[in-house]
Structures are given as structure tokens and as C-alpha cells.
Amino acid sequence: MSNKLPKRSLQRRPTTIGSDSADAFRVDSPKTKGYGRYTANEIPLGLCSDVIYRGLSFPDWTRGSFVFNNEELQRLGSFLYTIKARSRTVRSHVTILERGKEAVSYSLMAEIPERRGAFVKAILQVLEQYGLHGAEIAWEWPGTTVKFGGISSDRESVVALLTDARAALKGRKKELFFMGAVYPKVLRESYRVTSICQLVDFVTLFTYDMRPHTNNVADVHAPMRNRSFEREENRMKTNVVDGVETWIEYGCPPKKLILGIGLFGQAYTLANPASYNVGAPTVGPGAEGQYYYEGYYPYYELCPLISSGWSIFYDPIGQMPFAVRGNQWMSYEDTNSIGVKLDFMQQKRLGGVVLQYVDYDDFWGFCGSQNPLTTFIYQRLKQIPSDIGFAIEWNN
């Protein structure tokens, strides 16, 4: 699992909350560096009905209360001011984040009833103060089966936290989202899927960035299915199809599942440039680009990059493209691979799609029209015969 991508969110969903399908997009943090700069003014609000601001860092525990960072709250307020000035109809949500190695803040809070109550109270205060419509719980990841922290009681604590949050938010007519992993160990040992899905309005699935550089294997980051060389137990079913179907098999209504799509490229450095097929050995992340972390490229950067001398290939099982130049190898989404995922969403009658992130799209139009992937999804969803909205995530 990779947690190197920064996160904030915007999400558009159906105007009919109980509809069969919805769609969501995520937007990464605004960058002040050249063409990477992106603000709330660039967000294509004409393509969305809801905005999820992703997000606020986990609040500090101070004298019996949870307190959010004041500077982050000010940025949230400024963001919402711009959104509301641009649109009177777009709905807004906020994500509460805790991530990275040894991230146990959610664990320590959720196992104690008094702290759970204080946490929910702090969230509700933010929702009321800023006129938000709901909150997303982004707990990456509960339990002790993954390297990012957690404790053995998390499986029960997740349900306890969501129970308290659901009661408080529903009483104020606010919505509750939960960001869900598709890693088999987390699904099997850290979640009570049926209970989670009974309590939340939507589960936003982490069906992107599923292949860390530490595996030392060149691979597309969001494969639809696994390949024969993937034999490690937890990796064998870490893919879009198995992940979604496991959530459904474990008792989650498909209409509550929001499929995640990453609008970024993940680059590797090949161990041998002559060996470049999927599954080839690598020695780490690819070269660092202009705007993001080593090994990650927003679509607006990778699109013109790979058109300048890179060779383009396609993984027929993972159903995603990848590009190669010398010892550099990069997987990414394009309209073909996204179309496959939208077909799958429609087939399974999922709640929709969430993009990671909308500001990774080619919003400058370097390769043609502005926001080509976002626009493609919007137009494709309009063709699906059900009530589908559009979601954008914004990263703080």
C-alpha cells in the first residue's frame, strides 16, 4: 500500500441520495509552483453536484475535547467561500484524515466511548459552523494486519465509531462516508462489512495506487484483475474486480460503493531496460517529476511527457496502459481504461466513481481539451440509464 499521495477531496453524487449510481472526483492540493497551481476557482463545478474537501488532519486531544487545527479550518473556510460564491447548488463535505506509519490516532480515540463522543462532537461543530452536508471518515487502515499502525480491537472500534457518528449526523441531517480498503487482510480481519455498510451512506473505495514501489515489480497501479506472476496471498486479490466483489460478498449493498479512479501515473525505474513487460523487476520509484513526489505524475504532466518519445503498451488483464522510455516505466489511466472501470461500475450497479484527483486531470489542456478525463467520465455517466451524479475530491 502506498500512502505518498497527498489528499483533499471534492465529490459529486446524485441529486437523488437513494439512487443506484453516483460519481465522484478527487482534487489534489493546490500547488503554487508554475503549471501545478490549482485553486477552488479551477474546479469544474458544472460537472459536479457535491464537493468533499479532503481534508482536515486528525484533531488534537486537549483537556477532554478534540480540537482541529485552526490554520486548516481557515483554509477550509476560504475554500468553501469560493465554492459557495461560484455555485448555490453544489453540496460540500469534509474528510477527517489520519494516515502513515504508526497512525493510531483513530484507534486510540475509537476504543474509548468518551473520546468517541468528543470526536463526533468536534466533527459536528465543523459541519454546522461551515454549513457542510456531511463528513468522510478516512481511517488508513484499522487493525494490526497492515504496516500503517492500528490495534487488535479496531474491528469492533470501527463499528462503534460509525454507530456514534451515524446517530449524531443523522440527527442533524448530515451524511456519513467511510473510505474503505480493498486489501484482503483488511477486509477480512479489520472490517465488519455488513455493519459498516448499514451505518454509512457511502463507502469510497481505495481502488487505485494498489501497487507500492517497494514491491520492486513494474505494474499498473489499479489493475482490474491479477496476473499469473502475482502469487503473494494478500496481493492475489488486491485488484478492482476482486475488491469490489468482496465488499458485496461480505454484505455491502452495491449502491453504497463508490469506485475510486486515480488520475495519476505511477513510475518505476527498471532494473534492466530490456525487460519492460508487466512484472519486470524494478529498483524503486521512477524519476521525480516537476510537481509531485518521486514516482508519481499528475495526468497533466504525464500526458505531454509520454507523447515525447515514450513507447505505449497495454496490459490486457489489468486493462490499463503503461509507457516505457529507457529505464523509466509508468502506468496510468486513459479514457479506454476508465471506460472499462465505468462499464464495471454499471454492471455491478455501484453507487458511482470517485476521482483521485480532479486537479490531476489536464486542466490546462496541454494535450487538447481541458479536463479530458473528467469530461469523459461525466459524458459517459450521462449515458447510463440511472440517477448518477458527479464527485470531485479536493486535497488539502
Side-chain angles (χ1 to χ4, degrees), residues 155-174:
R155 193 164 189 253
E156 304 304 326
S157 295
V158 168
V159 175
L161 172 62
L162 294 178
T163 298
D164 291 354
R166 177 67 174 178
L169 271 62
K170 187 176 182 180
R172 301 290 183 90
K173 297 183 179 179
K174 306 292 185 182

Side-chain angles (χ1 to χ4, degrees), residues 215-349:
N215 285 347
N216 293 322
V217 173
D219 199 359
V220 296
H221 67 78
M224 289 297 292
R225 295 171 178 82
N226 286 77
R227 283 59 53 90
S228 59
F229 68 85
E230 299 174 295
R231 298 177 181 176
E232 191 273 324
E233 181 181 3
N234 196 48
R235 177 171 170 149
M236 286 175 63
K237 292 205 171 189
T238 301
N239 60 69
V240 173
V241 172
D242 284 319
V244 168
E245 291 183 346
T246 301
W247 272 90
I248 296 172
E249 177 187 345
Y250 284 6
C252 192
K255 67 182 180 181
K256 287 196 173 186
L257 297 174
I258 308 296
L259 186 70
I261 297 178
L263 301 188
F264 57 87
Q266 185 175 12
Y268 299 84
T269 297
L270 294 169
N272 177 5
S275 178
Y276 55 81
N277 289 326
V278 171
T282 65
V283 294
E288 186 170 353
Q290 297 183 57
Y291 304 106
Y292 290 94
Y293 303 110
E294 185 180 23
Y296 289 98
Y297 290 75
Y299 185 76
Y300 65 80
E301 183 176 10
L302 75 85
C303 177
L305 179 67
I306 63 175
S307 66
S308 60
W310 291 60
S311 298
I312 309 298
F313 302 92
Y314 190 76
D315 173 12
I317 300 176
Q319 294 183 276
M320 284 182 66
F322 63 94
V324 181
R325 183 175 183 177
N327 68 348
Q328 295 298 292
W329 194 102
M330 175 146 40
S331 75
Y332 59 97
E333 298 277 14
D334 62 7
T335 54
N336 291 326
S337 63
I338 290 173
V340 170
K341 290 178 168 67
L342 294 179
D343 289 342
F344 177 70
M345 182 211 75
Q346 181 179 2
Q347 174 193 348
K348 293 296 180 180
R349 298 189 68 79

Side-chain angles (χ1 to χ4, degrees), residues 28-29 48 67 86-88 92 127 149-150 166 229 234 240 255 265 280 285 301 315 319 321 328 345 369 371:
D28 190 20
S29 58
C48 64
V67 180
R86 293 182 58 204
S87 173
R88 294 185 178 183
S92 302
L127 300 186
R166 177 67 174 178
F229 68 85
N234 196 48
V240 173
K255 67 182 180 181
E301 183 176 10
D315 173 12
Q319 294 183 276
Q328 295 298 292
M345 182 211 75
S369 60
N371 299 308

Side-chain angles (χ1 to χ4, degrees), residues 132-143:
L132 291 155
H133 293 83
E136 180 187 42
I137 301 298
W139 185 345
E140 302 181 27
W141 301 108

Side-chain angles (χ1 to χ4, degrees), residues 80-91:
L80 293 173
Y81 178 84
T82 301
I83 295 298
K84 292 176 181 178
R86 293 182 58 204
S87 173
R88 294 185 178 183
T89 59
V90 170
R91 293 156 49 86

Side-chain angles (χ1 to χ4, degrees), residues 64-244:
S65 300
F66 278 106
V67 180
F68 287 100
N69 181 276
N70 189 58
E71 291 184 4
E72 291 188 6
L73 290 176
Q74 289 178 359
R75 288 195 292 269
L76 170 63
S78 177
F79 170 83
L80 293 173
Y81 178 84
T82 301
I83 295 298
K84 292 176 181 178
R86 293 182 58 204
S87 173
R88 294 185 178 183
T89 59
V90 170
R91 293 156 49 86
S92 302
H93 301 69
V94 67
T95 300
I96 314 302
L97 295 161
E98 178 62 307
R99 58 211 302 268
K101 292 183 179 180
E102 312 304 330
V104 295
S105 296
Y106 263 113
S107 299
L108 298 177
M109 171 273 297
E111 69 172 347
I112 302 173
E114 293 77 13
R115 292 202 174 194
R116 287 200 308 269
F119 180 74
V120 172
K121 181 180 178 180
I123 293 176
L124 203 52
Q125 287 175 341
V126 170
L127 300 186
E128 296 285 0
Q129 179 179 351
Y130 293 98
L132 291 155
H133 293 83
E136 180 187 42
I137 301 298
W139 185 345
E140 302 181 27
W141 301 108
T144 58
T145 62
V146 291
K147 65 182 180 181
F148 298 113
I151 58 180
S152 59
S153 61
D154 283 348
R155 193 164 189 253
E156 304 304 326
S157 295
V158 168
V159 175
L161 172 62
L162 294 178
T163 298
D164 291 354
R166 177 67 174 178
L169 271 62
K170 187 176 182 180
R172 301 290 183 90
K173 297 183 179 179
K174 306 292 185 182
E175 291 184 320
L176 180 62
F177 295 75
F178 180 76
M179 191 174 73
V182 295
Y183 305 106
K185 285 185 178 180
V186 178
L187 268 165
R188 184 175 60 250
E189 301 176 26
S190 299
Y191 293 158
R192 292 191 178 277
V193 169
T194 301
S195 297
I196 289 172
C197 292
Q198 287 174 342
L199 293 166
V200 303
D201 294 288
F202 291 101
V203 177
T204 54
L205 294 175
F206 199 89
T207 43
Y208 47 85
D209 199 18
M210 293 186 283
R211 296 293 185 266
H213 293 108
T214 52
N215 285 347
N216 293 322
V217 173
D219 199 359
V220 296
H221 67 78
M224 289 297 292
R225 295 171 178 82
N226 286 77
R227 283 59 53 90
S228 59
F229 68 85
E230 299 174 295
R231 298 177 181 176
E232 191 273 324
E233 181 181 3
N234 196 48
R235 177 171 170 149
M236 286 175 63
K237 292 205 171 189
T238 301
N239 60 69
V240 173
V241 172
D242 284 319
V244 168

